[in-house]
Amino acid sequence: MLDTIEKFESQVRGYVRAFPAVFDTADGAWLTASDGKRYLDFFAGAGTLNYGHNNPVAKQALLSYVQRDGIQHALDMATTAKIDFINAFQRLILQPRQLDYKLQFTGPTGTNAVEAAIKLARKSKQRTHIVAFTNAYHGHSLGSLSLTGNQYYHEQFYGSHNNVSHLPFDGYMGEYDTSRLLEKMLDDASSGLPKPAAVILETVQGEGGINVASAEWLRRVAQICAQRDILLIVDDIQVGNGRTGEYFSFENSGIRPDIVCVSKSLGGGLPMSLVLLKPEVDCWLPGQHTGTFRGNNLAFITAAALLNQYWQSNELSTTIHQHGRIIAQKLNGIAARYTQRGFVARGRGMVWGLDVKDGSLASRITRNCFSQGLVIETAGATDQVVKLLPPLTISETELLSGLNILNAAIDAAVSGGVDSQPRPLPLVACCTAAIMV
Ligand SMILES: Cc1ncc(COP(=O)(O)O)c(C=O)c1O
């Protein structure tokens, strides 16, 4: 069945190369392929399925909405679905955290939210420059690509590095506090860094290799920005929606970003993106940033149902922290077993990475996992980090079973064992090989 994909789909296809199965149904933390094989999902749609596949609450809400002919498309006209979502988001997320944000609905993918955020920052501050960070990942449309660090995604002909400078993220230079460099360069008229409209960051860099910014570093960056009339944008697309334990990933630091981008798990698997803006930043003219699919009514329905189910109390947060401790303990144990290879575990809440310092080893590990029924991806500049993003709703038994598969896969990969199933090379290696041929 994969022949159809290989024959007709563009070479740009990626994950199908890493996970060569034809998936058919999914439920909670499980995927089932057309041949009946079941896979435990530690990838969760790259952070889109925090509430699990076909979450029953979202599914029921969606089925009844469709059954009663609820409106599916309305551009940005008012709908009951949208109003219910806004009210739930205000009541359950913004008000309890004393956050005063306007909501802007953009096109449904994460990159649309980032595009809107940087456009608005530039318009609001009447400056063109943006500061992003090393290993940042903000998407692939040309504006967001300019902020994305990894050279693999860039071609000089895209002209995509305009008006952006990348400075070192927290931890990029070991113990050195990189916020000091940001501050110095901003204050030095001869540094070559134009005064930016905004600084954009992920509090935990997901695609960049699970690099965790400390709360102190985030506070210093926020203060540096505020003192210089520079907007702070937090891209919470991958690590928001509860991934780190709290709804927003920046909550533990106490910072209040001027703009926040949210997407992925917001709609529980249905595409939806949201930009949160401090009211004073909201200088758009009516319809000035538009798009046919801004505001997906089906996703408003699932999003509101999920907020009501999981964010009325702190039960989910507590579970995320408990599960996070289990993951941390397991990964730290593995890293301790392989100190001579320099393995390091990093993460917060339920986003974790095991840096095995070698992209081909990481790929052997994920291949071994896949052959044993665990879907898990790599991240980082050279794909050297095995990345764990299980659904937040996974049971402890499922979590432990996935961690055990991973543990065995690592031991087998380190001792040179690879799964018996032949399988294409992972994305980057595969494309590099193709170029070299
Ligand atoms: C932090 C972050 N920002 C933006 C994006 C882009 O989102 P999308 O792929 O939906 O355009 C991603 C995707 O992984 C992401 O992780």
Side-chain angles (χ1 to χ4, degrees):
M1 281 169 93
L2 277 170
D3 297 359
T4 307
I5 305 281
E6 276 156 27
K7 199 161 162 200
F8 296 114
E9 195 176 345
S10 156
Q11 307 197 55
V12 78
R13 63 190 188 276
Y15 292 123
V16 65
R17 300 174 193 265
F19 308 116
V22 179
F23 296 105
D24 185 32
T25 59
D27 172 22
W30 293 92
L31 292 152
T32 305
S34 57
D35 61 3
K37 183 162 179 185
R38 302 220 323 140
Y39 296 84
L40 192 52
D41 191 357
F42 268 26
F43 182 34
T48 305
L49 297 155
N50 283 6
Y51 305 103
H53 291 268
N54 284 310
N55 181 287
V57 172
K59 189 163 93 177
Q60 263 326 309
L62 186 61
L63 286 173
S64 7
Y65 184 74
V66 173
Q67 190 65 44
R68 71 172 182 85
D69 285 335
I71 191 158
Q72 295 198 11
H73 183 264
L75 293 158
D76 71 345
M77 288 182 255
T79 63
T80 49
K82 179 192 261 193
I83 291 167
D84 288 349
F85 167 77
I86 294 176
N87 285 335
F89 198 77
Q90 283 291 342
R91 183 170 60 81
L92 297 168
I93 304 299
L94 295 183
Q95 284 163 12
R97 292 164 180 79
Q98 293 167 333
L99 291 170
D100 181 16
Y101 286 124
K102 291 287 200 70
L103 278 62
Q104 179 183 356
F105 299 102
T106 64
T109 65
T111 196
N112 294 129
V114 173
E115 295 291 340
I118 58 176
K119 251 170 90 173
L120 185 65
R122 285 171 166 148
K123 178 175 156 68
S124 158
K125 291 298 164 196
Q126 306 273 289
R127 293 175 218 135
T128 48
H129 215 72
I130 308 272
V131 166
F133 289 97
T134 49
N135 286 307
Y137 186 94
H138 298 288
H140 281 209
S141 49
L142 287 179
S144 63
L145 182 61
S146 67
L147 310 164
T148 294
N150 197 328
Q151 208 46 44
Y152 179 71
Y153 301 122
H154 291 267
E155 292 279 352
Q156 65 183 106
F157 312 105
Y158 301 161
S160 55
H161 275 310
N162 283 339
N163 300 318
V164 172
S165 297
H166 284 84
L167 267 63
F169 191 68
D170 192 19
Y172 187 77
M173 302 178 73
E175 293 297 299
Y176 175 78
D177 174 2
T178 60
S179 69
R180 290 181 55 206
L181 184 65
L182 171 69
E183 186 171 34
K184 175 140 177 89
M185 290 188 73
L186 287 172
D187 291 347
D188 178 0
S190 198
S191 70
L193 178 67
K195 182 166 181 174
V199 167
I200 183 166
L201 58 84
E202 301 148 88
T203 65
V204 179
Q205 294 183 322
E207 299 306 302
I210 316 300
N211 307 311
V212 184
S214 71
E216 299 73 44
W217 187 84
L218 290 172
R219 282 194 286 270
R220 276 194 298 275
V221 170
Q223 191 184 32
I224 290 165
C225 289
Q227 286 167 344
R228 289 160 184 79
D229 187 33
I230 295 164
L231 297 176
L232 177 63
I233 306 172
V234 168
D235 177 345
D236 232 11
I237 288 169
Q238 184 157 151
V239 298
N241 294 296
R243 180 51 66 183
T244 60
E246 278 63 53
Y247 187 81
F248 295 111
S249 70
F250 53 83
E251 285 179 47
N252 72 327
S253 67
I255 63 167
R256 306 215 155 219
D258 300 289
I259 302 179
V260 184
C261 301
V262 194
S263 182
K264 290 206 189 254
S265 285
L266 190 58
L270 294 186
M272 174 176 176
S273 283
L274 175 61
V275 184
L276 303 172
L277 318 166
K278 282 194 175 159
E280 61 272 25
V281 178
D282 186 15
C283 60
W284 290 119
L285 300 176
Q288 196 177 19
H289 184 86
T290 178
T292 307
F293 290 104
R294 78 210 131 113
N296 174 356
N297 280 277
L298 300 182
F300 286 145
I301 292 293
T302 50
L306 292 165
L307 291 178
N308 280 307
Q309 176 71 16
Y310 292 105
W311 297 98
Q312 303 264 11
S313 75
N314 58 6
E315 206 178 311
L316 180 64
S317 268
T318 308
T319 310
I320 297 164
H321 287 297
Q322 275 164 3
H323 285 176
R325 282 191 287 276
I326 293 173
I327 301 171
Q329 198 180 20
K330 190 74 173 181
L331 293 191
N332 283 323
I334 297 170
R337 248 188 5 254
Y338 290 107
T339 37
Q340 79 286 4
R341 285 179 171 260
F343 284 17
V344 180
R346 300 187 286 265
R348 274 180 59 204
M350 285 177 73
V351 47
W352 277 84
L354 182 69
D355 189 337
V356 300
K357 309 285 178 194
D358 172 354
S360 65
L361 175 60
S363 133
R364 281 210 303 281
I365 293 169
T366 55
R367 278 154 58 195
N368 284 350
C369 287
F370 189 67
S371 72
Q372 296 308 312
L374 180 69
V375 173
I376 189 165
E377 241 303 65
T378 55
T382 56
D383 281 328
Q384 80 285 13
V385 179
V386 178
K387 178 166 100 164
L388 287 80
L389 279 181
L392 305 179
T393 50
I394 196 168
S395 72
E396 192 170 317
T397 314
E398 291 165 333
L399 182 64
L400 288 170
S401 129
L403 290 170
N404 288 339
I405 295 175
L406 175 63
N407 189 35
I410 291 170
D411 289 346
V414 169
S415 57
V418 190
D419 61 298
S420 50
Q421 286 181 354
R423 160 168 187 252
L425 291 165
L427 180 60
V428 175
C430 170
C431 293
T432 316
I435 290 160
M436 281 159 53
V437 168

